[in-house]
Amino acid sequence: QKEVEQNSGPLSVPEGAIASLNCTYSDRVSQSFFWYRQYSGKSPELIMSIYSNGDKEDGRFTAQLNKASQYVSLLIRDSQPSDSATYLCAVNFNTPLVFGKGTRLSVIA
Amino acid sequence: GAVVSQHPSRVICKSGTSVKIECRSLDFQATTMFWYRQFPKQSLMLMATSNEGSKATYEQGVEKDKFLINHASLTLSTLTVTSAHPEDSSFYICSARNAVSAEAFFGQGTRLTVV
């Protein structure tokens, strides 16, 4: 069974802090990993893709991948209230992407 | 990112009628598209995988005769909810995946209300 696990939250952080979102997955052969942001009532929006071990930075977002530990994370620096949303981790097991249930982030002004 | 256009964004229909939802990939060819539904405060649920030129692959528990999927071209997939009932009311979202990067891009979603 291919699974993607995330803490459901809510994760509350103060404005300006670093938000850290974590995800683990079950299948070692996975090659592609994604983070999506979903605002309430809207469809998911792709914010980061990562394919190799290490860090990948894009603006205030940093994705971190550790294939040996089967772990992928998303860091959001200088968190803003507009970052409040549900963040979905997705893993490509060479079939439809498998999504975690999402972590709800709340950034408090 | 790539653009996936889905419409209508909202639809209200009467019980027993059918509703068609269209999903188009605007700037890349999608041999495979995916259809999800999502209930409030719940996670995405994959309904089916739509394959261009062939039959869709449905997830367990999804009625293929009720949710008709057609993928007639590399840029268009449609989902038809037949004989809709109030319990079919939900948020339906399509997704198209770039075959090279494996990135999946979502349409805007369709909020279906059956009255």
Side-chain angles (χ1 to χ4, degrees):
Chain A
Q1 185 76 3
K2 296 178 171 56
E3 294 182 341
V4 177
E5 299 287 341
Q6 294 181 255
N7 286 326
S8 62
L11 172 66
S12 294
V13 301
E15 183 176 1
I18 295 175
S20 177
L21 304 161
N22 305 314
C23 172
T24 59
Y25 58 95
S26 62
D27 192 336
R28 284 187 176 273
V29 302
S30 307
Q31 294 298 318
S32 310
F33 307 86
F34 309 94
W35 282 99
Y36 289 82
R37 176 176 62 197
Q38 186 176 23
Y39 292 111
S40 181
K42 303 294 185 182
S43 63
E45 171 192 11
L46 179 65
I47 54 173
M48 288 288 282
S49 309
I50 186 165
Y51 304 97
S52 55
N53 281 327
D55 295 0
K56 178 181 177 183
E57 187 174 317
D58 184 0
R60 294 187 295 114
F61 299 102
T62 299
Q64 299 174 317
L65 174 60
N66 183 325
K67 291 186 180 179
S69 300
Q70 296 174 224
Y71 175 93
V72 59
S73 66
L74 179 71
L75 301 178
I76 306 174
R77 289 182 300 282
D78 188 24
S79 296
Q80 302 296 311
S82 58
D83 295 325
S84 297
T86 296
Y87 289 81
L88 303 169
C89 173
V91 178
N92 179 24
F93 294 107
N94 210 29
T95 54
L97 288 182
V98 178
F99 286 85
K101 295 188 184 301
T103 298
R104 191 156 53 90
L105 172 66
S106 178
V107 180
I108 302 167
Chain B
V3 178
V4 176
S5 176
Q6 182 178 345
H7 76 93
S9 57
R10 289 180 181 272
V11 59
I12 301 173
C13 71
K14 292 183 178 179
S15 289
T17 61
S18 296
V19 173
K20 180 186 281 189
I21 303 170
E22 289 191 351
C23 180
R24 294 180 185 274
S25 59
L26 298 185
D27 51 3
F28 68 96
Q29 293 183 332
T31 54
T32 306
M33 291 186 179
F34 307 94
W35 288 96
Y36 297 83
R37 66 188 296 182
Q38 188 175 37
F39 293 105
K41 298 190 187 302
Q42 295 191 20
S43 55
L44 293 169
M45 186 193 85
L46 179 66
M47 298 175 66
T49 301
S50 169
N51 303 298
E52 187 267 336
S54 65
K55 292 183 179 180
T57 304
Y58 290 81
E59 295 299 301
Q60 192 172 9
V62 178
E63 298 175 59
K64 58 183 67 176
D65 293 332
K66 180 168 185 62
F67 299 100
L68 300 179
I69 291 173
N70 183 274
H71 195 151
S73 76
L74 288 171
T75 59
L76 174 64
S77 176
T78 61
L79 167 67
T80 301
V81 183
T82 63
S83 186
H85 288 99
E87 57 265 32
D88 298 324
S89 299
S90 188
F91 191 45
Y92 292 86
I93 317 172
C94 72
S95 170
R97 190 163 76 184
N98 184 308
V100 175
S101 69
E103 293 172 329
F105 299 94
F106 286 86
Q108 302 93 320
T110 298
R111 189 159 307 280
L112 170 65
T113 303
V114 185
V115 298

